[in-house]
Amino acid sequence: MNALARVLRAMALAFMASSLLVLGGEPAHAQPMTVLPVTIQMVPGQKSATLTVISAGQTSFQVRAYAWRQNENGNVQLGDTDDLLASPPLGTIAAGGSQVIRLVLRRLPTDREATYRILVDQIPPPAAPGIVQVALRLSIPIFVLPQTRVAPHVTWRIENAGGQSFLVGVNDGTSHLKVHDLELRAGGATLPIETKNVSPYLLAGTTRRWRVLGRPSGGGWRLTGTGDDGRIDQQVQ
C-alpha cells in the first residue's frame, strides 16, 4: 500500500469511528464514505476531471450531475443538465476500496464561469433488525472557466427589513466569489455577519443576503473580510 492509499484509508477509518449515531434509542450506522477532491475547478478548455470515492466498508453509490444556481439566501438550487456527465453513475465499492468517477463536460462555457454540483449518494444495504441505516450524501461544487478572462465584480450595501439588517452582495461579474470572516465596522463597533451554516459562495450574476448580527445605525460602516481574490475592505451604506 503506497503512502497516498494509507492516508486515504486512515481518513475513511477516522470517519467510520465518528459515524455511530443514536436515533430514538436505536443504533444508527452509516458506512463511511469520502470523496476527493472536495471542490473542482476546470481551467479553460478542460473537458474532463475525476473524483475518487473511498469507503471503509462495502457500499454502493450513485453519482448525479446538476446545474448549480443559488437564491438570495445562498441556498443551493439544482437543475437538470446534460452538459456534464458522470461515469460510472452507479457502482459498488469493496471494503477499504475506492472508485474513480470520470466527469465529462459536453459543452464549454463561452463568456461566463459555469457552475455545477455533483451529488454522490450512498445506497445502504438492507438493515438488520433494530438497526437504522443512515445514507450519506456528499455535494461537490464544480467551477468551469471559459476561454475568455473572467472575474467577480461585487457591490455591497446594507438593507433593513422586518427589524433586521442584511448585508447584500450583488455579483454582476463573470465568476464566483468565495468570502470568509465578514464584519461591519464603524468607530469602535464591530458587527459580525452570520456565516455559520451558510454557503460562502456568491455566484456570477447572483444577489446574496447575509444577516447582520446587530443593527447598523448611521453611516460610515466599512465591510471587512476575505475573498478568494484578496482582502475585502470597503465603505458600505
Side-chain angles (χ1 to χ4, degrees):
M1 182 181 298
N2 59 32
L4 177 59
R6 287 195 296 269
V7 170
L8 297 179
R9 182 176 176 82
M11 290 171 60
L13 289 174
F15 187 86
M16 179 175 63
S18 64
S19 64
L20 180 62
L21 310 173
V22 176
L23 299 175
E26 293 183 334
H29 295 275
Q31 291 291 346
M33 189 171 66
T34 303
V35 176
L36 297 173
V38 296
T39 302
I40 292 177
Q41 180 154 312
M42 299 174 69
V43 301
Q46 183 179 349
K47 293 186 176 181
S48 66
T50 59
L51 286 172
T52 301
V53 183
I54 307 149
S55 181
Q58 179 170 318
T59 191
S60 297
F61 65 88
Q62 179 181 29
V63 183
R64 291 172 291 169
Y66 292 95
W68 169 30
R69 301 292 181 266
Q70 60 185 176
N71 64 15
E72 66 176 14
N73 295 317
N75 297 326
V76 171
Q77 295 182 316
L78 301 179
D80 293 336
T81 182
D82 58 2
D83 291 348
L84 185 66
L85 302 178
S87 179
L90 294 165
T92 299
I93 302 174
S98 63
Q99 172 70 56
V100 175
I101 307 298
R102 182 174 173 82
L103 307 175
V104 179
L105 193 64
R106 299 180 63 193
R107 295 181 182 88
L108 292 174
T110 55
D111 57 357
R112 176 182 287 188
E113 175 184 69
T115 51
Y116 303 93
R117 277 190 177 262
I118 295 293
L119 297 187
V120 183
D121 289 300
Q122 186 180 46
I123 304 173
I131 299 294
V132 177
Q133 291 282 18
V134 179
L136 299 177
R137 167 172 288 180
L138 303 175
S139 179
I140 309 299
I142 299 178
F143 302 98
V144 184
L145 296 178
Q147 294 285 356
T148 56
R149 182 178 177 83
V150 295
H153 180 262
V154 181
T155 56
W156 304 92
R157 66 177 185 267
I158 297 171
E159 288 184 354
N160 298 307
Q164 292 186 325
S165 296
F166 299 88
L167 174 69
V168 180
V170 180
N171 184 3
D172 59 4
T174 50
S175 68
H176 76 281
L177 179 69
K178 185 178 181 181
V179 297
H180 303 279
D181 305 322
L182 295 176
E183 291 181 331
L184 288 174
R185 298 180 180 181
T190 299
L191 299 180
I193 309 299
E194 186 176 52
T195 56
K196 185 177 181 181
N197 299 324
V198 175
S199 169
Y201 296 110
L202 178 54
L203 300 185
T206 298
T207 297
R208 281 282 316 271
R209 302 202 313 166
W210 289 262
R211 189 165 69 93
V212 180
L213 301 181
R215 188 71 183 266
S217 59
W221 288 90
R222 293 195 70 83
L223 173 67
T224 63
T226 304
D228 50 10
D229 63 345
R231 179 72 177 165
I232 298 171
D233 186 352
Q234 66 182 81
Q235 198 88 7
V236 292
Q237 297 293 334

